[in-house]
Amino acid sequence: MSAAAPRSTALAHVLGVSHSLSGKAWCWRGGNMELDPEADARRLDRDILTQLLMTRGVGEDDIVRNAKPTLREFLPDPSAFRDMDQAATRIAEAVLSGEKITIYGDYDVDGATSSALLVEVLRALSHDAGYYIPDRLLEGYGPSGEALVKLAEQGSSLIVTVDCGAMAHEALAMAREAGVDVIVVDHHKCAPELPPTAALVNPNRLDESDLGAAHGHLAAVGVAFLLAIALVRTLRARGFFTGRKEPDLMSLLDLVALGTVADVAALHGLNRAFVAQGLKILARRERIGMAALMDASRLKRAPIASDLGFALGPRINAGGRIGESTLGVRLLTTRDPEEARAIAGQLSQLNEERRAIEAQVQESAEAQLAGQHNMSVQVLAGTGWHPGVIGIVAGRIKEKTGKPAIVVALDEADGTGKGSGRSISGVDLGAAIIAARENGLLVAGGGHAMAAGLTIFEEKLSDFAEFLDERLSRDVEKAILGQTMKLDLALAPGGLTPDLVTTLEAAGPYGVGWPAPRVALGPVRIVKADIVGKDHVRIIASGSDQRSFKAIAFRAAETEMAQTLLHRSQGRRFHLAGRVKLDDWGSRPAAELHLEDAAFAD
């Protein structure tokens, strides 16, 4: 393995690249650790792992804990969170007295996994809780007051909302008037005034304790897991487990891992421990529905974190986006293998339909971009756009423009629109959406820094776009000016090996807040470049060490980088940058580069 490490300054340009084909400077992610290419493989692997951890914010005295993250090392005392003990006590009372409990979840993966987790915990406590997942199109986001009242009329004396409810003041007031207790388990931003609840557990409460606030990056399913711990502890103190077995909470970490990754929660600290341990549970394939979902995704090997975000998560999301909202919870809680296979197959079919719908909406949305060159936030709206795919399209627009994007599906019948937004690092979109709502520009809205949802009257769209532009323009400008391609290693092509991939994976799991390593390779010449699929670019490159490798740039055919590599590479040498992956489709696994950027080497 041949590797070059960052030099003593993080500001140095990697391989001298100050302006790549995508307009970025290549910089070392950070650190000043030198790697000795002559060192033996074991030393080199250890040094690379240490470098990866340190450049992701881990101190030298904390390397061991973060190298193999476990719950023992990262799990906080659930009682440190406001209202956690009240919530656990109220649920324990309901279990002991046999009250009817309903879990009210959001329709995305975080909502489905949170709902399934609490249903499974209560089932293990011999309590058969019901669940309610709202229809995305008919009921919209968040708890519906009408639905809560109806659940109360059907006998539920306790409702636990998961991944929603932090801003549902009106709906929760209706529930209180109906005489039903509601516990909110959420992670979205809160307003200073909290809604009326029996308990509101949310690390992003403005009055949260310092320890609780330090875990504001948790997905709702992570908060639900902490509630499960508190609940079991409360029941233990009351002698509930005398003569009976306690629930195996560790077996629920597959749900926590899936919801955390799919909700794009930051993978550092406790979240990273959740996912690292959850992947081990997933590999056992013990949950019938999860095994069926992996089979439907054609995932035969043990899953890695990216599989949760790109294979398993989208299938569950497809149910809430364009199909039946309860499919995800049904799949994750079923005990029937045949039902699991049927639901997993249905979700895969819905996911294919979702992709087709998404492509149509994206094409229409991109057609509107021409008139928005000077806007800091792209606000795009259209009649007939399916509300179930607008979040995905917003993410695609964000990737294409490098700016925050909001996509709104308009309803001609009532003149309102449902919107979903995605932001860039350094721009808090959730806070801006809450501010817009407080200024009377939105019917409803909320979210977190990187993603948000809203409801708006069509006639307010122009004012809303101007509000966002004025509020966020400086943040967006600063974020864009600061964009660089941050790299961890520079290699000759011969250093791109399956062993390197294994070494780099050891510092995972990777995701938002804990980025997968980027590697620079070069100088190389392009042996072959062509388009595969709709707009993916496949490249065969060869270095001066006579070693060649495959690289692929996804959804990049129209970019300046791709056009240069496809049509203007003759006689030129390049440096290529991206993430290394293992291609295990053939008889012999080979390392390949998932290309993100390129630069002239001459």
Side-chain angles (χ1 to χ4, degrees):
M1 184 187 305
S2 175
R7 301 301 173 187
S8 60
T9 172
L11 297 177
H13 292 146
V14 178
L15 301 174
V17 177
S18 59
H19 192 82
S20 70
L21 294 180
S22 67
K24 297 178 181 178
W26 289 7
C27 300
W28 294 119
R29 195 176 299 278
N32 57 4
M33 189 174 177
E34 295 284 355
L35 301 184
D36 180 6
E38 303 302 321
D40 62 76
R42 182 180 302 175
R43 164 70 185 279
L44 190 57
D45 287 353
R46 184 174 66 249
D47 286 349
I48 290 175
L49 177 60
T50 299
Q51 175 75 21
L52 293 174
L53 294 173
M54 291 179 65
T55 55
R56 281 151 185 79
V58 177
E60 289 188 58
D61 59 347
D62 211 16
I63 294 293
V64 173
R65 186 172 75 123
N66 281 274
K68 293 184 178 180
T70 64
L71 293 193
R72 181 186 298 274
E73 294 292 339
F74 285 94
L75 195 69
D77 181 350
S79 295
F81 295 79
R82 291 199 181 277
D83 282 10
M84 181 69 80
D85 289 340
Q86 294 95 307
T89 297
R90 180 65 185 88
I91 298 174
E93 291 171 350
V95 169
L96 292 169
S97 61
E99 295 178 56
K100 185 175 181 180
I101 304 174
T102 298
I103 310 300
Y104 190 116
D106 190 23
Y107 39 67
D108 66 0
V109 183
D110 194 15
T113 52
S114 300
S115 299
L117 185 148
L118 291 183
V119 167
E120 290 282 80
V121 169
L122 290 168
R123 180 185 286 174
L125 298 173
S126 302
H127 193 98
D128 189 18
Y131 58 84
Y132 184 91
I133 310 295
D135 184 284
R136 185 186 195 113
L137 299 181
L138 299 178
E139 298 176 80
Y141 170 76
S144 155
E146 291 77 8
L148 294 175
V149 170
K150 186 175 182 180
L151 290 172
E153 293 173 347
Q154 293 173 347
S156 293
S157 55
L158 177 61
I159 299 173
V160 184
T161 74
V162 287
D163 196 30
C164 58
M167 299 291 291
H169 295 73
E170 183 178 342
L172 294 175
M174 292 176 63
R176 171 161 289 186
E177 290 177 6
V180 61
D181 284 342
V182 179
I183 294 171
V184 171
V185 180
D186 204 352
H187 68 132
H188 295 99
K189 288 185 178 292
C190 295
E193 181 182 351
L194 299 175
T197 62
L200 195 156
V201 185
N202 184 339
N204 288 305
R205 287 175 55 153
L206 296 181
D207 62 345
E208 184 55 88
S209 67
D210 289 343
L211 179 58
H215 291 85
H217 62 298
L218 293 180
V221 70
V223 183
F225 183 79
L226 294 176
L227 175 58
I229 295 174
L231 172 60
V232 169
R233 185 169 61 186
T234 300
L235 288 170
R236 184 188 303 126
R238 298 193 179 194
F240 182 80
F241 297 111
T242 302
R244 71 173 78 191
K245 186 178 179 181
E246 292 191 11
D248 178 12
L249 297 183
M250 293 294 287
S251 69
L252 301 171
L253 289 176
D254 58 341
L255 297 172
V256 181
L258 176 56
T260 297
V261 173
D263 210 54
V264 201
L267 290 192
H268 56 77
L270 179 57
N271 275 348
R272 196 159 158 266
F274 277 151
V275 176
Q277 301 307 314
L279 287 171
K280 297 177 183 178
I281 304 299
L282 278 163
R284 300 175 191 168
R285 299 173 65 93
E286 294 174 347
R287 189 176 306 281
I288 291 171
M290 204 75 85
L293 191 64
M294 285 189 274
D295 288 341
S297 305
R298 300 179 182 177
L299 191 61
K300 302 302 181 184
R301 54 169 170 72
I304 59 177
S306 59
D307 295 323
L308 309 188
F310 294 103
L312 306 185
R315 284 170 165 79
I316 291 182
N317 255 335
R321 291 185 185 280
I322 65 171
E324 182 185 339
S325 60
T326 61
L327 287 175
V329 183
R330 286 172 54 199
L331 174 69
L332 297 174
T333 58
T334 185
R335 295 289 190 267
D336 183 344
E338 287 300 321
E339 182 184 28
R341 279 190 287 270
I343 295 175
Q346 186 178 355
L347 288 172
S348 286
Q349 179 60 41
L350 287 170
N351 194 44
E352 291 301 315
E353 295 176 18
R354 185 269 305 167
R355 287 177 177 172
I357 295 170
E358 174 196 326
Q360 295 173 355
V361 175
Q362 184 172 344
E363 183 178 357
S364 297
E366 288 185 355
Q368 295 184 18
L369 286 174
Q372 298 196 13
H373 288 308
N374 297 321
M375 299 300 290
S376 298
V377 180
Q378 309 289 355
V379 179
L380 309 166
T383 302
W385 293 358
H386 197 298
V389 302
I390 54 177
I392 302 174
V393 174
R396 301 278 190 235
I397 298 296
K398 179 202 74 171
E399 292 174 4
K400 184 181 182 70
T401 64
K403 298 178 179 180
I406 294 174
V407 178
V408 180
L410 298 174
D411 186 341
E412 282 186 313
D414 61 8
T416 65
K418 300 291 185 183
S420 186
R422 298 293 183 269
S423 193
I424 60 176
S425 181
V427 180
D428 190 338
L429 186 60
I433 294 298
I434 291 175
R437 190 199 69 235
E438 292 173 345
N439 278 269
L441 295 170
L442 301 175
V443 177
H448 45 79
M450 300 299 289
L454 59 94
T455 302
I456 187 171
F457 286 116
E458 184 175 359
E459 63 266 22
K460 294 281 190 178
L461 277 170
S462 179
D463 292 341
F464 173 58
E466 290 180 6
F467 174 86
L468 291 180
D469 188 56
E470 181 177 350
R471 179 184 175 93
L472 297 177
S473 59
R474 290 185 180 179
D475 290 343
V476 172
E477 181 180 4
K478 183 178 179 181
I480 291 175
L481 288 174
Q483 285 182 350
T484 58
M485 174 65 69
K486 290 185 171 59
L487 291 142
D488 297 274
L489 292 171
L491 308 168
L496 182 59
T497 66
D499 286 342
L500 174 68
V501 177
T502 300
T503 298
L504 297 183
E505 286 295 335
Y510 297 107
V512 172
W514 194 269
R518 285 196 183 98
V519 169
L521 292 164
V524 301
R525 296 189 185 277
I526 306 303
V527 177
K528 180 182 179 182
D530 57 2
I531 297 176
V532 294
K534 182 180 179 182
D535 57 358
H536 309 315
V537 178
R538 179 179 55 190
I539 291 168
I540 303 298
S542 178
S544 57
D545 60 358
Q546 308 306 311
R547 300 292 293 272
S548 61
F549 61 92
K550 182 176 76 173
I552 185 164
F554 294 101
R555 297 187 299 274
E558 297 181 3
T559 64
E560 176 65 22
M561 175 193 74
Q563 289 299 307
T564 299
L565 296 175
L566 285 165
H567 305 300
R568 299 189 293 275
S569 64
Q570 192 70 26
R572 301 299 302 267
R573 296 196 308 166
F574 296 87
H575 296 303
L576 305 181
R579 307 184 193 278
V580 297
K581 299 292 182 180
L582 197 63
D583 179 4
D584 53 6
W585 285 101
S587 57
R588 296 180 61 185
E592 64 180 21
L593 182 71
H594 287 192
L595 182 64
E596 296 179 78
D597 203 359
F600 290 117
D602 299 314

